[in-house]
Amino acid sequence: MRYLTVIVLLLVLSGLVFAKMKLDKKTGSLNPLETGEIIPNVYAIKDQKVNMYAAKVNGQFIAFDAGDHPRLVRRELQKLGIDPEKFTDVFLTHSHQDHSGALEVFSNAKIHISKEEADYLNDERNPMRSFFLNLRN
């Protein structure tokens, strides 16, 4: 049941994010949302150039991606009054630095990634491999 809730939240979140993001007509890129509540219990957290998202479920939080800069993510969570220790799970869309660089903020959370992404992370040629191995230890 919990994972069904997560899947539904992901689908709703995806639609809301694309509806609210603004396209920069000069560069053709999307600008991240400002930190805040998108709908009740669903939050956008602005990092330098990306957003991560949080959903409050039964008093705990689930993150979708982790952001890039730990200091910025902590600051933005503090603005919302959200304690990083309350995150139980982080679902990574993929392992690029701008989506996983602030994983250290969520020390109590279980990290979820796809099998394909896990295989990539375990590849000795992957430059991010040592970063993720250090998180495990």
Side-chain angles (χ1 to χ4, degrees):
M1 177 66 177
R2 180 178 176 158
Y3 289 105
L4 180 60
T5 302
V6 169
I7 291 168
V8 169
L9 280 171
L10 270 172
L11 291 171
V12 169
L13 184 61
S14 297
L16 285 169
V17 168
F18 286 114
K20 291 189 174 222
M21 288 182 102
K22 295 183 179 133
L23 181 65
D24 184 327
K25 293 185 181 167
K26 291 179 189 172
T27 65
S29 62
L30 292 172
N31 293 323
L33 300 172
E34 292 299 320
T35 294
E37 192 171 30
I38 301 171
I39 59 172
N41 297 315
V42 177
Y43 306 87
I45 294 94
K46 183 180 179 182
D47 199 341
Q48 193 170 33
K49 61 181 178 176
V50 297
N51 284 115
M52 61 157 288
Y53 299 91
K56 186 175 185 180
V57 179
N58 298 325
Q60 300 294 314
F61 288 88
I62 297 169
F64 301 97
D65 288 328
D68 192 0
H69 302 88
R71 183 182 56 79
L72 294 175
V73 170
R74 281 189 185 94
R75 183 187 72 198
E76 297 302 299
L77 288 171
Q78 185 177 23
K79 285 181 185 177
L80 295 169
I82 298 174
D83 180 357
E85 302 294 314
K86 295 251 181 182
F87 282 82
T88 58
D89 299 272
V90 176
F91 292 84
L92 294 178
T93 57
H94 59 286
S95 61
H96 289 168
Q97 176 73 28
D98 60 338
H99 292 259
S100 63
L103 273 171
E104 69 185 57
V105 171
F106 308 102
S107 58
N108 290 338
K110 182 176 179 179
I111 310 301
H112 303 271
I113 59 173
S114 69
K115 180 189 178 321
E116 292 80 8
E117 201 69 14
D119 291 345
Y120 170 71
L121 290 173
N122 287 314
D123 187 330
E124 291 182 10
R125 297 168 291 177
N126 180 356
M128 290 293 291
R129 184 172 189 260
S130 63
F131 171 76
F132 278 93
L133 288 175
N134 287 336
L135 285 175
R136 287 185 194 166
N137 300 326

